[in-house]
Amino acid sequence: MSLWRRALRLAASIPVTWVVVALVITASVVRLSLTPGRARGGIDFLVSTGFDAVFVHHDWYSTFTSVFFVFNPVVLGVVVVALIVGMGWSERRMGHWRTIVVFFAVTVGGIVLGLVTEGLGIGLDLYSAELSRWHRTTDTIIALVGVVMAASAFTSPLWKRRIRIVGFAAILMFVLYSGQPSDLYRLFAAIVGLFLGMRLARAPLRVRRPRATRRESRTLLAAVVAVTALGPLVSVASPSGSGVLNPLGLLFRDPLRDYAAIAARCETSDYSRHCVDALALSRLDGPGAVLLTFLPLVALLVAAWGIQRGRRIGLWLAVAINVALAALAAVYFGFVPFLSASAYTAFQTTAAEDYRAYEFVSALVPLLIAAGLVASSRLFPVDDRASEGMTVRRFAVLVVLEFVAVAGVYFVIVASVPTQFTPTASLSDLLLDLPERFVPVGFLAFEPADIFPSGPVAVIASQWVGVVFWLAVIVTAVIGMRRPHPHGAETDEARIRSLLVAGSGGRLSWMTTWPGNHYWFAPTGGAVAYRVVNGVAVTTGDPLGPVATHPQTALDFATYCTDRGWTPAFYSVTDALRGHLTDAGWSSLQVAEETIVRPAGWSTEGKKMQDIRTSINRATKEGVRAEWQSYSELPPSITRQIRQLSELWVAEKDLPEMGFTLGGLDELIDPDVRLMIAVDADGTVQGVTSWLPTFEEGRVVGWTLDFMRRAPDSMNGLMEFLIAQAILRARDEGISFVSLSGAPLARNEDAGGADDRSPGILAFLSRTLEPVYGFRSLLRFKMKFRPEFESLHLCYLDPLTLPAIGLALTRAYLPTLSARQALRTLSAR
């Protein structure tokens, strides 16, 4: 019910959005309800906008009415959803009146500016402008993109950059590859919305060189590469468009599907024999040819994925493919008539003479993109064999070897069946024909074809050799660009221990010595323990080293992570480090509450300590004693029982034993770790706790609770007894503190504090695991010892990474969690 009330409050907060949605639905339904013919055509003529509609027929009102009509019922449903989501989001940030003003301004302003641009094109006698001047447009998305772009000024800096970069990249993709008038209107509506939003938000209008992190710069590069990959699909879907890059995109479209049109064009030229050759390329039509057409685009998308994550392999793969596209386009359009006869070059020039400037740009843009990628190589870390799964050089060698292997196998196969080509193929014919088998068919539409596969073996080999090669390239790239595994030599643990013994760590820092951690060492001598889970570098507490160097060490480590495509997440850090990181623009969330006891002033006196006194008295009465030893000092009979207790505890849980900051048997074997063991008069182990040391100049100054296990039939209050004995022993030895550690995903609700937010996935994880592991009840248990509370935090740079960080923490704590166990736990909630 609360969810329903929340949804109603949300709906009530966006009245302007609902009015616009109602107008769009009403106008579109009324228009769709009319019988096709003069009535519907009359409405279409009145409400749609375009250059001739406004400047010839003087339908100025159409610059506003055109955004309220959708002519397709399926598209209407999509538009309504887009309006509710996009405009509703914008209205909640800008307010009602600003949304009304922006909606009107971006609609009229965007369309008018687009019409003026069309007029300039007509004045310059551009063929595409003349072609589109009569076109009439109705498009609700024109207003939507402008409103969203205006609302971006009312968001955080991170959201501003994301919305604007992604939004303009998508808009420009349609402008360049489709070039319909509506695409141009959307672009200008977005520009108007951008500046109007900045004005309404009172943001300074300054022209300066944009400042962005390496990650954001790589994201922009990846977007450009992705546009190169997805743009041709826009051209395929809109072949009649007049975008600047539409000719390049159409080269990825099957040029032979309309054989009659090509034949008719050939009949009017002097190159009928060559046109027949082009028609003969229809033998390549089939699933192999279709895959060969699109696999290079898939490879570009893979390269964009690698670029965003800082992989040099992705960078140079994108460079190579864009250079190849530029070269092939230059050959196809006749700028570089490589092996083509002059007749072919003349045919190509004659066939598209009206688009000669666009053809030049289509051949030039991929080359410029490649040059830009090369110039941006400084944003990518230099190959490191220790940290990268594969270097660029090795990747290039593998691609060359794959080409040689695939081409060699193909050549052996087709050389054995020369009669399956028409005419019969010689070895020289097969060699000259070989490179074309790796190129999308569209680039070969008017190239001379001397031999054609006609037999089954030749056809299969010719169609699939290129597909096999491109698939091999894609698979190799994906393998080579996998997130690099964290690294650390065995001797790194010794360096970490030396830092800890010297006093460079905090109360939880001994956990950095545990298996699964990897280490990064700062030039200043500090270090960070971390583990990479699903691309998230999760740290274990504060950095090591002098406290004064912790903030810089943390920021340097964050740079190290982003250079490798990892998301840095500082987990279980103290208030001190959190304060420095938040000052640097990071966000934080409280993830645990550490409980600390000061032994010097601690006693079991007072009413609140009644349970502690009772547990000590009961242990004395039942003959249970506490022993303080390291694991290596214990006799086999005791160590065997400890292992049995641990196995029994795990067996009782629906989920596996947790790890990460919760130690198990492997961690308590450490010779520097101490155990407080409860043993009865019969030598039976009733329970055990483990304690991690904190050093200062080689001397132990504190102990931190970690491992806790008890027998099912042990006496009541056994854990209270063991912890109290550890605190009393620490008091006698002059130890400064005893930390009862932090209860993960739990907090002291009475403490309050400013940082009281909780990310959805972490809160969900806490609620889900509470019935199994009892983190909150554990925190309440520790409060019996009258501890001090210190918050532990998760610090992160990008709020959008919180779901990934939450999943990484889940996997870090439960590395062996199976899908069945997870589903069972979720269903039990």
Side-chain angles (χ1 to χ4, degrees):
M1 187 57 112
S2 61
L3 180 62
W4 176 250
R5 285 197 297 268
R6 205 158 45 234
L8 288 177
R9 285 198 300 270
L10 181 64
S13 67
I14 52 173
V16 176
T17 299
W18 293 119
V19 171
V20 172
V21 168
L23 289 174
V24 170
I25 292 176
T26 302
S28 301
V29 169
V30 169
R31 184 264 175 192
L32 290 170
S33 64
L34 297 176
T35 303
R38 179 175 297 180
R40 180 182 290 187
I43 287 185
D44 294 351
F45 188 83
L46 290 175
V47 301
S48 57
T49 193
F51 185 86
D52 283 357
V54 173
F55 292 106
V56 176
H57 301 286
H58 306 294
D59 297 332
W60 289 95
Y61 54 84
S62 67
T63 58
F64 186 66
T65 59
S66 59
V67 299
F68 292 101
F69 288 83
V70 181
F71 290 173
N72 187 297
V74 176
V75 176
L76 176 62
V78 176
V79 167
V80 167
V81 173
L83 280 174
I84 295 173
V85 174
M87 193 166 173
W89 175 87
S90 302
E91 184 178 356
R92 285 176 59 84
R93 277 145 188 84
M94 292 193 297
H96 312 315
W97 287 107
R98 285 195 189 102
T99 302
I100 294 173
V101 171
V102 169
F103 183 88
F104 179 83
V106 299
T107 300
V108 176
I111 292 177
V112 169
L113 288 175
L115 294 174
V116 170
T117 303
E118 286 187 81
L120 290 176
I122 294 172
L124 295 174
D125 199 26
L126 293 180
Y127 179 77
S128 58
E130 288 286 351
L131 190 66
S132 62
R133 64 176 298 168
W134 57 268
H135 190 86
R136 287 178 170 265
T137 296
T138 58
D139 186 9
T140 309
I141 305 301
I142 295 171
L144 179 59
V145 296
V147 170
V148 171
M149 205 59 68
S152 68
F154 295 83
T155 60
S156 65
L158 180 64
W159 277 104
K160 281 187 182 72
R161 288 191 293 268
R162 293 262 172 100
I163 293 173
R164 292 169 182 177
I165 289 174
V166 174
F168 276 107
I171 293 170
L172 286 172
M173 177 180 69
F174 281 93
V175 171
L176 293 174
Y177 282 94
S178 175
Q180 300 286 355
S182 58
D183 301 318
L184 190 63
Y185 305 155
R186 292 174 191 171
L187 174 62
F188 280 108
I191 294 173
V192 171
L194 176 65
F195 286 101
L196 181 58
M198 294 172 65
R199 184 70 174 176
L200 293 174
R202 293 182 170 85
L205 298 174
R206 292 180 296 181
V207 179
R208 65 178 184 180
R209 182 179 179 182
R211 299 174 182 176
T213 63
R214 294 182 184 180
R215 176 186 287 271
E216 291 182 6
S217 298
R218 293 200 302 261
T219 300
L220 180 58
L221 285 176
V224 172
V225 174
V227 166
T228 307
L230 297 176
L233 301 182
V234 176
S235 293
V236 170
S238 181
S240 61
S242 55
V244 174
L245 298 183
N246 187 263
L248 177 63
L250 289 179
L251 294 183
F252 290 89
R253 180 169 172 255
D254 180 5
L256 305 172
R257 66 179 183 178
D258 192 352
Y259 304 128
I262 293 179
R265 182 63 179 268
C266 292
E267 289 176 359
T268 63
S269 70
D270 298 325
Y271 316 109
S272 58
R273 186 184 68 81
H274 305 310
C275 292
V276 172
D277 287 348
L279 284 172
L281 285 173
S282 61
R283 295 181 182 276
L284 296 177
D285 203 12
V290 173
L291 286 175
L292 182 59
T293 296
F294 292 106
L295 282 178
L297 303 180
V298 175
L300 267 181
L301 288 177
V302 171
W305 169 75
I307 288 171
Q308 198 273 333
R309 285 158 177 77
R311 306 298 190 270
R312 294 181 72 87
I313 288 177
L315 173 71
W316 292 107
L317 177 61
V319 169
I321 294 178
N322 274 285
V323 169
L325 288 178
L328 290 171
V331 171
Y332 178 85
F333 292 128
F335 298 119
V336 183
F338 193 43
L339 294 179
S340 304
S342 58
Y344 287 93
T345 303
F347 184 88
Q348 292 158 231
T349 303
T350 304
E353 59 185 3
D354 295 322
Y355 286 90
R356 202 58 177 164
Y358 282 13
E359 292 168 357
F360 178 76
V361 174
S362 294
L364 184 62
V365 165
L367 193 61
L368 293 177
I369 292 175
L373 290 171
V374 173
S376 303
S377 59
R378 58 183 176 79
L379 298 174
F380 298 78
V382 178
D383 284 352
D384 181 357
R385 292 181 185 273
S387 63
E388 294 277 353
M390 183 186 298
T391 63
V392 173
R393 181 176 299 177
R394 183 183 176 193
F395 172 75
V397 170
L398 286 176
V399 170
V400 171
L401 291 177
E402 288 165 353
F403 177 82
V404 171
V406 172
V409 172
Y410 166 77
F411 189 79
V412 169
I413 292 175
V414 296
S416 64
V417 288
T419 57
Q420 292 195 14
F421 287 85
T422 303
T424 301
S426 64
L427 291 180
S428 60
D429 292 333
L430 294 174
L431 280 175
L432 289 175
D433 179 70
L434 179 62
E436 297 181 359
R437 302 305 172 188
F438 299 88
V439 177
V441 176
F443 288 92
L444 306 173
F446 296 108
E447 287 298 303
D450 296 323
I451 57 173
F452 304 100
S454 54
V457 175
V459 169
I460 293 175
S462 299
Q463 280 199 10
W464 291 96
V465 59
V467 173
V468 171
F469 168 71
W470 280 105
L471 285 175
V473 171
I474 292 171
V475 171
T476 304
V478 171
I479 293 174
M481 293 188 298
R482 286 183 305 179
R483 295 179 177 90
H485 298 292
H487 63 91
E490 293 296 328
T491 56
D492 287 349
E493 184 180 343
R495 295 177 62 185
I496 292 295
R497 284 181 177 269
S498 65
L499 287 172
L500 293 173
V501 173
S504 297
R507 291 182 294 269
L508 304 180
S509 295
W510 200 261
M511 297 176 183
T512 61
T513 64
W514 291 353
N517 282 313
H518 302 271
Y519 309 111
W520 175 80
F521 294 94
T524 57
V528 175
Y530 68 100
R531 60 188 68 205
V532 177
V533 184
N534 297 336
V536 178
V538 184
T539 69
T540 306
D542 288 358
L544 305 182
V547 175
T549 66
H550 285 185
Q552 189 58 48
T553 300
L555 294 176
D556 290 344
F557 174 73
T559 300
Y560 170 82
C561 292
T562 55
D563 282 346
R564 282 150 183 79
W566 301 334
T567 299
F570 290 94
Y571 184 71
S572 291
V573 299
T574 59
D575 286 324
L577 181 61
R578 169 185 173 266
H580 288 291
L581 290 178
T582 53
D583 289 343
W586 290 59
S587 302
S588 69
L589 292 163
Q590 184 177 334
V591 293
E593 197 90 57
E594 185 182 7
T595 48
I596 306 162
V597 175
R598 304 296 176 181
W602 189 83
S603 72
T604 59
E605 298 177 358
K607 183 177 180 180
K608 293 184 177 180
M609 302 299 289
Q610 179 63 45
D611 290 345
I612 308 301
R613 292 197 303 273
T614 300
S615 66
I616 294 174
N617 294 334
R618 181 179 290 119
T620 302
K621 182 179 180 179
E622 296 186 12
V624 177
R625 68 183 186 275
E627 296 184 358
W628 179 260
Q629 292 178 295
S630 65
Y631 190 87
S632 60
E633 297 171 343
L634 297 173
S637 59
I638 300 297
T639 58
R640 181 177 64 251
Q641 291 183 70
I642 292 174
R643 289 195 298 268
Q644 290 173 351
L645 285 179
S646 183
E647 294 294 336
L648 182 61
W649 184 88
V650 173
E652 292 176 346
K653 302 294 181 181
D654 292 332
L655 295 177
E657 186 175 21
M658 300 186 76
F660 191 26
T661 61
L662 299 174
L665 276 174
D666 293 337
E667 286 72 33
L668 59 84
I669 295 175
D670 189 326
D672 289 308
V673 173
R674 291 295 180 266
L675 307 180
M676 185 65 80
I677 309 169
V679 184
D680 63 16
D682 297 329
T684 302
V685 176
Q686 297 287 314
V688 60
T689 58
S690 72
W691 300 84
L692 311 178
T694 298
F695 288 88
E696 189 173 295
E697 297 180 352
R699 183 178 65 88
V700 176
V701 296
W703 295 102
T704 299
L705 176 64
D706 176 36
F707 186 88
M708 293 194 298
R709 299 290 186 270
R710 62 187 293 269
D713 56 352
S714 62
M715 73 173 197
N716 291 333
L718 181 68
M719 286 295 113
E720 289 91 334
F721 165 70
L722 287 175
I723 293 173
Q725 291 300 314
I727 296 173
L728 292 171
R729 184 182 181 88
R731 184 183 65 183
D732 295 340
E733 294 179 352
I735 299 298
S736 300
F737 70 87
V738 170
S739 170
L740 305 185
S741 194
L745 307 176
R747 56 180 298 177
N748 178 20
E749 298 297 338
D750 297 332
D755 187 16
D756 59 354
R757 297 167 298 160
S758 180
I761 192 164
L762 292 182
F764 173 78
L765 182 61
S766 176
R767 293 192 302 268
T768 301
L769 298 181
E770 176 62 24
V772 183
Y773 294 104
F775 295 132
R776 297 174 188 172
S777 59
L778 176 61
L779 179 60
R780 289 193 295 270
F781 164 77
K782 293 177 179 179
M783 292 172 66
K784 293 182 179 181
F785 298 91
R786 294 187 303 174
E788 301 172 3
F789 294 96
E790 289 200 16
S791 300
L792 298 177
H793 308 274
L794 166 68
C795 293
Y796 54 93
L797 188 58
D798 184 354
L800 291 181
T801 61
L802 270 177
I805 293 173
L807 293 174
L809 289 173
T810 303
R811 181 55 62 187
Y813 274 114
L814 296 166
T816 60
L817 180 68
S818 66
R820 184 174 62 180
Q821 289 172 323
L823 290 174
R824 185 167 63 244
T825 302
L826 293 175
S827 62
R829 289 185 68 248

